[in-house]
Amino acid sequence: MRHCINCCIQLFPEDTHKQQASCQGGPHHGHLACPACKGENKILFRVDSRQMNLLAVLEVRTEGNENWGGFLRFKKGKRCSLVFGLIIMTLVMASYLLSGAHQELLISSPFHYGSFPSNPSLMDSENPSDMKEHHYQPSINNISYVKDYPSIKLIIDSIASRIEFTTRQLPDLQDLKRQELHMFSVIPNKFLPNSKSPCWYEEFSGRNTTDPYLTNSYVLYSKRFRSTFDALRKVFWGHLSHVHGKHFRLRCLPHFYIIGQPKCGTTDLYDRLRLHPEVKFSAIKEPHWWTRKRFDRYPVEDYLDLFDLAAHQIHQGLQAASAEDQSKMNKIIIGEASASTMWDNNAWTFFYDNSTDGEPPFLTQDFIHAFQPEAKLIVMLRDPVER
């Protein structure tokens, strides 16, 4: 049994109420008195035998054939775009599934390369149409699979011959110090002679209740690193060296840097080197301090905190060796794997004066070389097409 929304008169299945009271046409009710409200001016109606206020929330159930109404109300352009996108997605997925072991899309890529000559005698002046005379085998799209190193070298030499290389003038050390006064005041000129990693002791002026990582920016702005620093807090005081009433902590820089382009295997190399018992890394795989965080006002102390776990192990080894032979070298080496250290110099435009040559006056490698002339750089590169 349904009820009229304008009054509380019941609507019979034959909808006879439409003739008895004109309630569908607007706010008028008929001259008939409603049997439920007995003539009183109440704005109530009943749903499922329960009395409800007019302001109650009603559940509107649409018919099944109205589900397509929203789609049909789309503009024609939106409908065409949606259909076109679905077609493209279907074709791409089908090409992956049907290609199987071919390891490439059935849809041909616009970036195809022709055959590379296996004969290094082919010079740039030769016409590519004459390649048939040399009986070259058609190569696949990726040159790295061909392993034709003489031809690759010929191509590189041909490109290099068209480029004019100029020697970059290295900045003066005093200019670097004026640019980064605080950094040069924290990192010393010389490191411990019996440590393979560049380490040194600095005085810690805090008490045993002092939180050494209270102001560390990596902890403050990233929740996922807080558990790591929580573990370092618990063992921090036990790894200090106490001499003549003063406390000293061991500070370290990386012995080597893994750098390179993205998607070139830096993470894989990082995971493999971590398995070696004498190789330790920073608490964060990619701190990006030299190229990014340094310009975000992350002080160098925050960067050095990332190597405290490795510094603790080196400190233990140095303390054990001092009792036996102080000249014994500690073999633990520290690494850092920020790939951006190789190529990211974008922040210089906001902090350095633009030079007339269009390049930064100071590069990342200038500062690393100033502190660590013997630093090791492991560069990870990859075929650009494959990457």
Side-chain angles (χ1 to χ4, degrees):
M1 183 72 68
R2 295 183 300 166
H3 294 76
C4 178
I5 194 65
N6 294 323
C7 64
C8 53
I9 300 179
Q10 294 178 344
L11 297 177
F12 297 96
E14 300 85 10
D15 203 9
T16 56
H17 177 60
K18 182 168 60 177
Q19 289 80 19
Q20 295 178 6
S22 56
C23 60
Q24 288 188 350
H28 311 290
H29 294 240
H31 58 279
L32 299 177
C34 176
C37 59
K38 299 179 179 180
E40 299 179 5
N41 189 15
K42 294 182 179 180
I43 311 179
L44 298 172
F45 64 99
R46 296 177 178 273
V47 177
D48 295 334
S49 302
R50 284 186 289 184
Q51 182 174 315
M52 298 184 65
N53 195 297
L54 183 62
L55 300 179
V57 179
L58 299 180
E59 180 182 2
V60 181
R61 297 181 180 178
T62 59
E63 299 294 336
N65 56 0
E66 295 180 359
N67 293 337
W68 291 91
F71 177 77
L72 296 176
R73 282 193 295 268
F74 279 164
K75 293 183 180 180
K76 185 177 180 180
K78 293 184 178 179
R79 293 201 302 268
C80 294
S81 300
L82 178 61
V83 173
F84 182 74
L86 292 175
I87 294 174
I88 294 298
M89 184 177 64
T90 304
L91 290 176
V92 172
M93 293 178 63
S95 65
Y96 272 109
L97 295 175
L98 296 178
S99 60
H102 294 293
Q103 299 298 327
E104 61 176 294
L105 293 177
L106 294 180
I107 303 177
S108 60
S109 172
F111 304 103
H112 282 299
Y113 297 86
S115 302
F116 289 94
S118 58
N119 187 358
S121 61
L122 179 63
M123 303 303 294
D124 296 334
S125 58
E126 294 190 38
N127 193 336
S129 61
D130 299 334
M131 293 176 63
K132 296 181 180 179
E133 300 178 3
H134 297 276
H135 304 288
Y136 300 126
Q137 294 295 331
S139 63
I140 59 177
N141 297 335
N142 198 335
I143 188 176
S144 62
Y145 292 119
V146 181
K147 303 300 182 184
D148 192 355
Y149 296 111
S151 300
I152 296 176
K153 186 178 184 302
L154 178 65
I155 295 172
I156 294 176
D157 293 341
S158 175
I159 296 174
S161 63
R162 300 186 180 96
I163 301 175
E164 181 181 358
F165 294 96
T166 57
T167 303
R168 178 175 177 267
Q169 184 178 0
L170 298 180
D172 186 70
L173 181 60
Q174 297 302 322
D175 294 335
L176 293 174
K177 289 183 178 180
R178 282 192 292 268
Q179 187 64 39
E180 295 287 352
L181 289 174
H182 180 68
M183 190 191 309
F184 280 88
S185 66
V186 174
I187 303 177
N189 297 328
K190 296 181 179 181
F191 305 112
L192 296 177
N194 53 346
S195 175
K196 199 168 185 179
S197 295
C199 299
W200 69 96
Y201 281 100
E202 72 173 21
E203 184 178 355
F204 180 71
S205 57
R207 301 179 180 179
N208 56 355
T209 58
T210 303
D211 184 1
Y213 309 110
L214 180 63
T215 60
N216 188 289
S217 301
Y218 286 99
V219 184
L220 296 177
Y221 301 114
S222 182
K223 294 182 179 180
R224 61 192 180 110
F225 301 135
R226 293 179 182 176
S227 59
T228 301
F229 284 96
D230 287 341
L232 290 174
R233 288 188 186 96
K234 297 178 181 178
V235 298
F236 177 80
W237 191 259
H239 290 89
L240 294 179
S241 180
H242 311 280
V243 180
H244 302 299
K246 295 182 179 180
H247 314 295
F248 296 88
R249 63 186 298 187
L250 187 67
R251 289 293 206 176
C252 296
L253 281 171
H255 174 74
F256 68 93
Y257 297 84
I258 299 178
I259 63 177
Q261 294 294 326
K263 303 300 180 183
C264 290
T266 55
T267 302
D268 180 70
L269 180 61
Y270 165 82
D271 291 333
R272 293 174 185 270
L273 290 178
R274 288 177 62 192
L275 301 177
H276 197 286
E278 294 180 349
V279 177
K280 307 299 177 182
F281 279 91
S282 55
I284 304 169
K285 173 186 175 288
E286 293 184 290
H288 297 294
W289 186 81
W290 288 103
T291 55
R292 300 174 187 175
K293 302 301 183 182
R294 179 164 61 99
F295 300 100
D296 291 338
R297 301 302 184 234
Y298 281 47
V300 64
E301 291 88 347
D302 293 356
Y303 179 62
L304 297 175
D305 287 345
L306 302 179
F307 306 102
D308 274 3
L309 184 60
H312 292 169
Q313 299 184 30
I314 295 176
H315 171 70
Q316 289 178 344
L318 294 176
Q319 294 294 320
S322 62
E324 303 174 358
D325 184 8
Q326 294 184 357
S327 62
K328 186 178 180 180
M329 178 68 68
N330 187 280
K331 296 182 180 180
I332 293 180
I333 60 175
I334 303 176
E336 199 249 82
S338 297
S340 64
T341 306
M342 173 181 172
W343 49 268
D344 193 353
N345 285 292
N346 295 330
W348 74 274
T349 56
F350 301 102
F351 297 93
Y352 300 151
D353 294 332
N354 294 344
S355 61
T356 56
D357 296 333
E359 76 170 20
F362 310 110
L363 299 178
T364 299
Q365 59 263 33
D366 297 331
F367 292 99
I368 295 179
H369 182 266
F371 296 117
Q372 304 172 254
E374 304 298 327
K376 309 300 181 183
L377 303 177
I378 303 177
V379 183
M380 301 291 290
L381 300 176
R382 189 179 180 184
D383 180 2
V385 178
E386 185 179 278
R387 185 173 72 92

